[in-house]
């Protein structure tokens, strides 16, 4: 166990050093690509979490903090994601690829009492990382170079507490803190038909400084038939109490770069400058899920998520997003946890699929997303069902966007790897 623990932290060190979150050109709008929920466990099951109460004592559910009735151990999770995006557009028959690897989840959870459980986590919530150049010309032969670039990450830190009311009902509350800076820059250069490039650049820069706080309230009901070991689970969540402090600074100016790296501006002349505040960055969100399964053997669930459209300033203008809906289905299967002669009989196999109507609508086309997912939890050699520690692996394959109206089709393959260390740590032994 000590060797595995050391190897995991070496791996985390590598991912931290290589931290670079990629995304699609659709990240140019708003707060970038929202990562939804990066935990391997739920992502491998299509994103289902609202009605998912783990049968095992080592998994803490942050998405619905009420779903931790069975959690009994101290758990440390370290997870990383490798994203592979493949883009295509009919505009000039353009194709491109983008890859990145980043640390996607750090979580610590432990029971405070048999009825009260606590969890702390960190995740990147959304990101911007794009650089696009568009060349065009007018009837006189003058050339125009339009460069769009963006960077930054919006992170989230969470603290969740769950309370088991009785054998069937539980409630939970999660506090969410969002923080980070997001940048967008549009630069226009011109050149005449003889190739003489304009010395000055016209730049439109937007900087969003974000500090946002809200709560997620969750509830769950689970009924277990002890005669057949079959169980029915119903869960619901709502995110509310949004307290936002997002400041948007917009500058339209002309300038030249004084260095080869094009990072230091000189001779800047301000044409227009604005600063606004927004309190509608992360509005109402809600989720409802239903699940059914057999104790310690299999589980399947369906889920509906809703997020109200937000508005955000973008290059000096207010940009509105439409409401988002997401339908997910998935579950897990454990062949036989008592079979210690066959290792793969004690492996947890996960599967799922989802469809999401995106919040973006461009030229009358909603930028939707769908995909399928799968994964396994490979228990450590000494791991038992009461102390389910192991290596988490997940795979997600899907598509986003469309080729209509010269828009961009994005195919993606996301790989996830993580470690879950669970044991009865931080507890004093009563007997030696």
């Amino acid at each position: 166990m000590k060797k595995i623990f050391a190897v995991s932290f070496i791996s985390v060190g590598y991912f931290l050093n290589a931290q670079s979150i990629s995304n699609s050109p659709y990240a140019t709008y708003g707060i970038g690509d929202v990562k939804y929920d990066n935990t391997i466990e739920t992502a491998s099951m299509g994103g289902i979490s609202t009605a998912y109460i783990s049968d095992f004592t080592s998994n803490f559910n942050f998405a619905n903090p009420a779903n931790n009735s069975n959690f009994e151990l101290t758990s440390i999770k370290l997870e990383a994601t490798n994203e592979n995006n493949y883009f295509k557009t009919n505009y000039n028959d353009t194709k491109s690829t983008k890859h990145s690897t980043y640390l996607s989840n750090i979580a610590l959870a432990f029971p405070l009492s048999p009825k009260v459980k606590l969890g702390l986590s960190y995740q990147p919530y959304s990101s911007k990382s794009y650089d696009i150049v568009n060349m065009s010309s007018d009837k006189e032969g003058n050339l125009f170079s339009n460069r769009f670039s963006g960077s930054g990450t919006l992170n989230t830190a969470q603290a969740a507490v769950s309370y088991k009311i009785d054998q069937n009902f539980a409630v939970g509350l999660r506090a969410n803190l969002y923080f980070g800076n997001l940048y967008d820059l549009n630069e226009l250069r011109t050149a005449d038909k003889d190739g003489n490039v304009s010395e000055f650049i016209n730049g439109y820069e937007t900087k969003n400084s974000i500090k946002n706080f809200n709560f997620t309230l969750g509830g769950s009901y689970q009924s277990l038939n002890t005669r057949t070991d079959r169980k029915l689970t119903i869960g619901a969540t709502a995110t509310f109490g949004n307290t936002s402090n997002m400041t948007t600074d917009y500058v339209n100016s002309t300038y030249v770069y004084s260095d080869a790296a094009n990072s230091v501006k000189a001779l800047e002349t301000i044409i227009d400058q604005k600063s606004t505040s927004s309190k509608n960055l992360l509005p109402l969100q809600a989720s409802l899920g239903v699940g059914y399964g057999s104790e310690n053997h299999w589980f399947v669930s369906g889920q509906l998520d809703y997020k109200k459209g937000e508005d955000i300033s973008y290059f000096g203008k207010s940009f509105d997003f439409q409401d988002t809906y997401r339908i997910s289905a998935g579950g897990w299967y454990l062949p036989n946890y008592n079979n210690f002669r066959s290792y793969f009989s004690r492996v947890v196999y996960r599967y799922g699929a989802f469809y999401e109507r995106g919040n973006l609508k461009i030229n009358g086309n909603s930028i939707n997303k769908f995909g399928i997912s799968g994964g396994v939890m490979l228990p450590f050699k000494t791991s038992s069902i009461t102390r389910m520690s192991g290596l988490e692996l997940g795979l997600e394959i899907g598509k986003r966007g469309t080729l209509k109206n010269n828009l961009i089709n994005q195919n993606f393959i996301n790989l996830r790897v993580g470690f879950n260390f669970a044991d009865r740590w931080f507890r004093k032994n009563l007997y030696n």
Side-chain angles (χ1 to χ4, degrees):
M1 176 66 77
K2 290 182 180 179
K3 291 181 180 179
I4 297 173
F5 199 78
V7 169
S8 71
F9 272 97
I10 292 173
S11 302
V12 169
Y14 165 77
F15 285 123
L16 278 172
N17 186 56
Q19 188 94 327
S20 174
I21 307 178
S22 74
N23 40 57
S24 75
Y26 293 121
T28 59
Y29 300 94
I31 60 174
D33 270 350
V34 175
K35 300 303 175 184
Y36 218 78
D37 191 334
N38 284 323
T39 61
I40 298 174
E41 186 178 21
T42 57
S44 298
M45 298 187 291
I48 61 113
S49 58
T50 305
Y52 170 60
I53 300 177
S54 176
D55 286 24
F56 316 116
T57 58
S58 57
N59 291 309
F60 191 92
N61 188 329
F62 283 91
N64 184 353
N67 290 346
N68 294 294
S69 301
N70 295 330
F71 182 76
E72 296 178 359
L73 306 176
T74 296
S75 170
I76 296 177
K77 281 192 175 183
L78 305 169
E79 300 179 348
T81 297
N82 170 251
E83 292 186 357
N84 303 276
N85 294 303
Y86 306 89
F87 307 107
K88 181 181 179 181
T89 177
N90 288 335
Y91 182 76
N92 291 335
D93 196 26
T94 303
K95 297 180 181 179
S96 66
T97 61
K98 197 169 186 181
H99 312 278
S100 70
T101 301
Y102 60 94
L103 184 67
S104 54
N105 184 33
I106 304 174
L108 168 66
F110 48 89
L112 297 178
S113 74
K115 289 191 173 184
V116 181
K117 319 295 168 63
L118 177 68
L120 306 170
S121 77
Y122 157 84
Q123 288 186 344
Y125 180 80
S126 71
S127 68
K128 283 177 178 284
S129 178
Y130 65 92
D131 197 340
I132 306 167
V133 177
N134 180 33
M135 304 295 296
S136 61
S137 61
D138 59 17
K139 294 180 180 179
E140 286 73 30
N142 297 312
L143 300 176
F144 301 91
S145 171
N146 239 327
R147 181 192 177 198
F148 299 88
S149 61
S151 62
T153 302
L154 180 59
N155 304 296
T156 176
Q158 305 169 339
V161 61
S162 62
Y163 177 72
K164 185 177 180 179
I165 299 174
D166 58 27
Q167 199 63 29
N168 301 111
F169 293 94
V171 293
L173 182 67
R174 189 183 78 220
N176 313 297
L177 174 64
Y178 305 87
F179 57 94
N181 296 307
L182 301 172
Y183 303 88
D184 293 284
L185 178 63
N186 175 208
E187 292 184 324
L188 177 65
R189 292 174 181 259
T190 61
D192 60 27
K193 58 184 179 181
D194 297 322
N196 299 313
V197 180
S198 173
E199 181 180 2
F200 282 87
I201 301 168
N202 187 194
Y204 302 80
E205 183 179 14
T206 302
K207 176 184 177 183
N208 291 301
S209 299
I210 300 165
K211 289 183 181 179
N212 193 86
F213 187 78
N214 59 23
F215 295 95
T216 299
L217 177 65
S220 67
Y221 166 83
Q222 187 174 81
S223 174
L224 173 64
N225 187 325
T226 55
R227 183 176 59 85
T228 62
D229 281 341
R230 297 297 173 90
K231 58 184 179 181
L232 171 69
T233 310
I234 301 173
T237 65
T239 300
F240 62 95
N242 193 58
T243 302
S244 178
N245 181 20
M246 184 180 75
T247 302
T248 302
D249 296 317
Y250 162 76
V251 178
N252 178 9
S253 63
T254 59
Y255 50 85
V256 297
Y257 283 118
S258 60
D259 63 330
N262 289 343
S263 59
V264 180
K265 296 178 182 179
L267 304 176
E268 184 173 17
T269 301
I270 304 297
I271 300 173
D272 188 20
Q273 189 170 11
K274 297 178 183 177
S275 183
T276 60
S277 296
S278 173
K279 296 186 179 299
N280 195 31
L281 175 65
L282 299 168
L284 174 67
Q285 301 178 55
S287 179
L288 177 66
V290 178
Y292 185 74
S294 178
E295 185 81 354
N296 298 327
H297 189 38
W298 59 268
F299 179 77
V300 64
S301 176
Q303 181 173 315
L304 175 64
D305 299 305
Y306 164 80
K307 184 171 78 171
K308 184 176 175 60
E310 70 267 20
D311 59 82
I312 190 171
S313 293
Y314 180 67
F315 292 142
K317 298 179 181 179
S318 179
F319 195 90
D320 297 325
F321 291 88
Q322 64 182 0
D323 295 354
T324 300
Y325 302 92
R326 179 181 170 114
I327 300 173
S328 308
W332 58 267
Y333 173 69
L334 175 60
N336 185 354
Y337 66 88
N338 283 320
N339 187 353
F340 282 87
R341 292 184 178 181
S342 172
Y343 175 80
F344 290 99
S345 292
R346 297 188 295 113
V347 171
V348 180
Y349 301 89
R350 301 182 178 126
Y351 55 89
F354 68 89
Y355 172 82
E356 179 181 333
R357 193 192 82 161
N359 56 4
L360 274 176
K361 191 171 186 179
I362 305 174
N363 297 334
N365 296 284
S366 292
I367 308 303
N368 301 326
K369 181 179 179 182
F370 64 87
I372 58 174
S373 61
V376 294
M377 204 291 285
L378 302 172
F380 296 144
K381 187 176 181 180
T382 58
S383 180
S384 66
I385 196 167
T386 57
R387 296 184 181 181
M388 189 69 84
S389 297
L391 172 66
E392 302 265 11
L393 299 175
L395 173 67
E396 185 180 55
I397 301 173
K399 175 183 178 295
R400 182 188 186 193
T402 177
L403 291 175
K404 296 179 180 178
N405 298 330
N406 287 327
L407 294 177
I408 298 171
N409 180 77
Q410 173 188 355
N411 294 317
F412 58 86
I413 301 175
N414 297 331
L415 307 174
R416 294 180 169 88
V417 60
F419 298 90
N420 181 15
F421 301 97
D423 211 330
R424 297 186 182 278
W425 299 344
F426 312 130
R427 299 188 190 184
K428 186 178 180 179
N429 293 325
L430 297 179
Y431 304 99
N432 291 322

